[in-house]
Amino acid sequence: MYDVAIVGAGVIGSAIARELSKFRVNACVIERETDVCEGTSKANSAIVHAGFDAKPGTLKAKLNVEGNALMEKLSQDLDFPLKKNGSLVVCTKDQDATLLDKLLEQSKLNGVPGCRIVEREELMQMEPNLADDVVKALYAPTGAIVCPFHLTIALAENAADNGVEFKMQTSVESIERVMDHYLIHTDDGDIETKAIVNAAGVYADKLNNMVSSRKLEIIPRRGQYMLLDKAAGEHVSHTIFQLPSKMGKGVLVTPTVHGNLLVGPTAEDIDNKEGVNTTMAGLDSLAPTSSLSVKDVPYRQVITSFAGLRAHEKDGDFVLGEAEDAPNFFNAAGIESPGLSSAPAIGIMIAKEVAEKLGLEENPNFNGKRKGIVNPATLSIEERNALIKENPAYGQIICRCESISEGEILDSIHRTLGARTLDGVKRRTRAGMGRCQAGFCSPKVMEILEREIPMSMFDVRKSGEDSKIVVGYNKKI
Ligand SMILES: Cc1cc2nc3c(=O)[nH]c(=O)nc-3n(C[C@H](O)[C@H](O)[C@H](O)COP(=O)(O)OP(=O)(O)OC[C@H]3O[C@@H](n4cnc5c(N)ncnc54)[C@H](O)[C@@H]3O)c2cc1C
């Protein structure tokens, strides 16, 4: 019997798993997909919000500010990319500038350090491509950008290295309370556990409602994006927000931590929890909306589009902690934005609550450090030569757009919770994330997966079960 079973290997389940591994615990993570970071954690704006946006006194406000403060040390310990680029909420001449003052006031109430109002003259020095109508902005120096894949994967890898078991391709179908523990019925057999942590993203209401009479309702709120080539990556250097509305933080324009430019998201309530498709109307709305804050975005440089689903709980705040009428069932539900930013703090909060309830002792062997995949592009020419001499696979370039070598791909496959799909390799190494969007490197990565796992070429998938790539020999079909 497990002490704790966490449902969901997104950033929240992975953060909780890592924090729990600081205790002596027999824990597992149950994930229906092939890999970690397959849900909302892979499709968002990747901003570590400063924390001025959430209503004072809410869990969102508290955990966002705490998570932001924890992120830098975490990025050093777990070796994932983070850049403190600062953020600006801009106000145009036709908008109500007192809303910026309110945000500034809110930043103070939430405990966000260093926010201030910046007037146009200074703003133009900070961001020359702001729209002509922008008159002032709220500047938050602690705003940052992160790689959401690397953050999630690093948390999960480190949890696994500290003893948490990951059960992939296992979907929770129902939950039964049996005496003093739970029986989780999955499509791959039953799992017995003393406690459950519900980190199932947009499905967290479904999980909660299996055991609790306090019903949750999560509305999937879709956000669509366009990602631009690295050639456009310096169009802005800060994250540029518009004044927020009741549907969220509005359309932003931001550099990504890897040097691309990201524009989005839309905000549309939908009734399909799998509705991560983009729409022409959604994508078409981005250029006119973004032009209110940033001018001349080079939309000819768009290399891909994508959508993610915010897990919007109808009452608006994060739902965290033990369900009142379901002992040892802990929710991490309704984790919409700023969920990524808050993940380190949510991990600590839930793990502490679970550990206290189960009476867990500290794990003296916990090792909180993890080394990421070596990126030869960040090395000096001497270091790179030495690396290639030691392992020639680092001299073999597979993805030409992003200069990703075979050595990096091999590492992504053979490390803890290693990649098993094209997307798994892509998220760990960036092979396929460049201008050609995997057009050239996919067949080579597939051959490497076939050889290294080893697996049949017919079983190599893009991501999930239904994403086979090779279906037969061309002369036979
Ligand atoms: C458009 C958009 C923009 C955003 N921008 C930001 C931002 O800039 N900054 C920020 O801080 N936050 C942002 N967020 C929010 C952030 O992305 C989320 O809060 C966070 O990723 C939620 O993580 P999660 O682990 O709860 O959910 P997920 O990543 O969705 O993970 C849940 C996991 O549970 C699994 N699962 C579900 N049901 C079952 C089952 N029955 N059995 C087994 N497994 C199951 C799923 O497969 C999934 O992997 C944004 C979100 C969206 C949609």
Side-chain angles (χ1 to χ4, degrees), residues 7-14 30-33 35 37-49 170-173 199-203 206-207 210 221-225 252 265-266 308-311 318 332 335-342:
V7 184
V11 71
I12 300 299
S14 302
I30 306 169
E31 170 55 55
R32 65 181 188 152
E33 300 291 346
D35 203 352
C37 202
E38 287 276 357
T40 298
S41 302
K42 76 171 183 208
N44 50 63
S45 309
I47 311 299
V48 181
H49 293 290
T170 308
S171 183
V172 173
E173 291 175 338
V202 284
Y203 288 98
K206 215 175 138 200
L207 271 277
M210 289 175 188
R221 183 169 286 172
R222 181 166 56 200
Q224 304 185 41
Y225 293 91
L252 58 79
T266 58
L309 299 179
R310 304 167 182 89
F318 295 158
I335 314 293
E336 59 183 333
S337 187
L340 201 66
S341 320
S342 311

Side-chain angles (χ1 to χ4, degrees), residues 391-406:
N391 182 351
Y394 284 99
Q396 184 72 23
I397 295 299
I398 301 295
C399 166
R400 282 182 280 165
C401 300
E402 294 287 312
S403 293
I404 306 300
S405 66
E406 186 173 2

Side-chain angles (χ1 to χ4, degrees), residues 305-317:
S305 59
F306 63 90
L309 299 179
R310 304 167 182 89
H312 178 69
E313 211 287 318
K314 64 176 186 334
D315 292 337
D317 203 0

Side-chain angles (χ1 to χ4, degrees), residues 272-450:
N272 177 6
K273 294 193 178 201
E274 300 293 319
V276 287
N277 57 299
T278 55
T279 64
M280 193 178 276
L283 295 178
D284 281 351
S285 71
L286 293 178
T289 317
S290 66
S291 70
L292 300 174
S293 52
V294 179
K295 64 182 176 187
D296 303 332
V297 172
Y299 281 103
R300 286 168 63 95
Q301 305 274 5
V302 170
I303 56 171
T304 190
S305 59
F306 63 90
L309 299 179
R310 304 167 182 89
H312 178 69
E313 211 287 318
K314 64 176 186 334
D315 292 337
D317 203 0
F318 295 158
V319 181
L320 293 170
E322 191 176 14
E324 278 163 30
D325 56 351
N328 291 354
F329 183 91
F330 298 86
N331 273 312
I335 314 293
E336 59 183 333
S337 187
L340 201 66
S341 320
S342 311
I346 293 176
I348 292 172
M349 179 184 165
I350 296 290
K352 187 167 173 271
E353 203 178 325
V354 174
E356 276 172 13
K357 187 77 198 294
L358 298 189
L360 301 176
E361 287 169 17
E362 266 184 38
N363 173 7
N365 301 320
F366 174 77
N367 177 3
K369 304 266 183 197
R370 166 255 185 201
K371 220 48 228 136
I373 293 170
V374 174
N375 177 359
T378 61
L379 303 178
S380 69
I381 193 76
E382 293 78 20
E383 289 167 329
R384 208 165 167 166
N385 285 342
L387 182 69
I388 294 169
K389 202 169 171 190
E390 193 185 310
N391 182 351
Y394 284 99
Q396 184 72 23
I397 295 299
I398 301 295
C399 166
R400 282 182 280 165
C401 300
E402 294 287 312
S403 293
I404 306 300
S405 66
E406 186 173 2
E408 289 153 272
I409 294 170
L410 293 176
D411 188 355
S412 79
I413 293 170
H414 292 299
R415 61 179 29 234
T416 304
L417 300 179
R420 291 291 173 272
T421 61
L422 273 186
D423 279 357
V425 170
K426 179 170 85 172
R427 290 195 202 110
R428 285 167 178 79
T429 65
R430 292 189 59 76
M433 290 234 184
R435 191 173 289 185
C436 90
Q437 287 289 298
F440 285 100
C441 63
S442 284
K444 290 185 183 166
V445 177
M446 288 167 70
E447 278 170 15
I448 298 173
L449 280 164
E450 179 194 35

